[in-house]
Amino acid sequence: MNIELFITGMIIGLITSAPIGPVNVLAIRRAVHYGFLPGFIAGFGAVLADGVFATAAAFGVTAISEFVERHEFYIQTIGGLLLIIFGVVVFRSHPHLKGGSDGGPTVWRGMIVSFAMTVTNPGAILGFIAIFGSLGEHAPEKGDYIGALALVLGVLSGALLWWACLSALVSKLRNRMNDNWLSAINHGAGVVLLVFAAIILAKVGYELFC
């Protein structure tokens, strides 16, 4: 297995899972009310959906690697700009812990709800395509399906790590959680996305002018 691609996938899995949206709020609510396992299982539904999107994006990029390589400048530029937009939106969002429904105490119901939320979100697949397409030389080469698999497994591992840590933290601090915590997480995730975008665009600019 390509360890570099696996680690890259883990980083992608973490930064795509961290922004606080409906699924994160759902998982946090369930962890607050019912403990670690219901919160983690709710996040696992999002992991399954992310796995579908990551597989489509990773193997798609691998299959059309010649096209990606030929248009690398434009793909990386567009990908970097999209990440800037995602980062700003995430940074400026103000999620709320109170209100809405978490689907009740049934453990698996949370997973079904979060899977449905994620798989019906077109921004999720566009995000993976933008990130994977922006990897350039760090993306799996044409026909390197083992590398693509390592990238996908890394994404899944990073996402699982996020949901496990989030659910564990919330279940430990359930009496102290408030909307300020959610905003702080989004600020951090937004900054990471913006830094990632800046690195991509800086690389594009360097290759253009040097």
Side-chain angles (χ1 to χ4, degrees):
M1 179 181 292
N2 189 316
I3 300 300
E4 181 181 349
L5 285 172
F6 180 80
I7 294 175
T8 299
M10 281 196 70
I11 296 172
I12 294 172
L14 284 168
I15 66 174
T16 54
S17 299
I20 301 296
V23 176
N24 267 277
V25 172
L26 171 67
I28 290 172
R29 283 177 183 153
R30 294 186 69 82
V32 166
H33 294 299
Y34 311 117
F36 168 79
L37 186 59
F40 177 73
I41 293 297
F44 187 71
V47 173
L48 293 177
D50 284 345
V52 174
F53 292 149
T55 299
F59 283 88
V61 168
T62 300
I64 60 172
S65 60
E66 288 185 1
F67 175 84
V68 171
E69 183 177 350
R70 197 177 310 123
H71 300 87
E72 183 176 0
F73 171 81
Y74 301 103
I75 292 174
Q76 291 192 352
T77 300
I78 293 172
L81 293 175
L82 285 175
L83 288 181
I84 289 177
I85 295 173
F86 293 156
V88 171
V89 169
V90 167
F91 188 89
R92 297 184 61 184
S93 62
H94 301 285
H96 301 287
L97 186 58
K98 296 181 179 180
S101 172
D102 65 3
T106 304
V107 172
W108 299 107
R109 186 177 299 168
M111 184 184 74
I112 295 171
V113 172
S114 64
F115 177 83
M117 283 182 177
T118 306
V119 82
T120 55
N121 177 15
I125 182 62
L126 293 176
F128 278 113
I129 291 174
I131 294 174
F132 287 176
S134 300
L135 292 177
E137 62 184 16
H138 299 291
E141 298 179 359
K142 181 181 180 180
D144 184 11
Y145 296 110
I146 299 299
L149 178 61
L151 188 62
V152 172
L153 291 177
V155 170
L156 296 179
S157 299
L160 284 172
L161 178 62
W162 167 257
W163 294 112
C165 292
L166 178 67
S167 298
L169 178 63
V170 171
S171 62
K172 291 288 185 182
L173 304 176
R174 61 171 70 183
N175 295 324
R176 304 179 187 178
M177 290 293 295
N178 55 47
D179 290 354
N180 292 332
W181 283 63
L182 307 188
S183 294
I185 293 173
N186 264 14
H187 288 162
V191 169
V192 171
L193 287 170
L194 290 172
V195 169
F196 195 23
I199 293 173
I200 291 172
L201 294 177
K203 179 185 175 184
V204 170
Y206 177 81
E207 293 177 351
L208 179 63
F209 296 105
C210 297

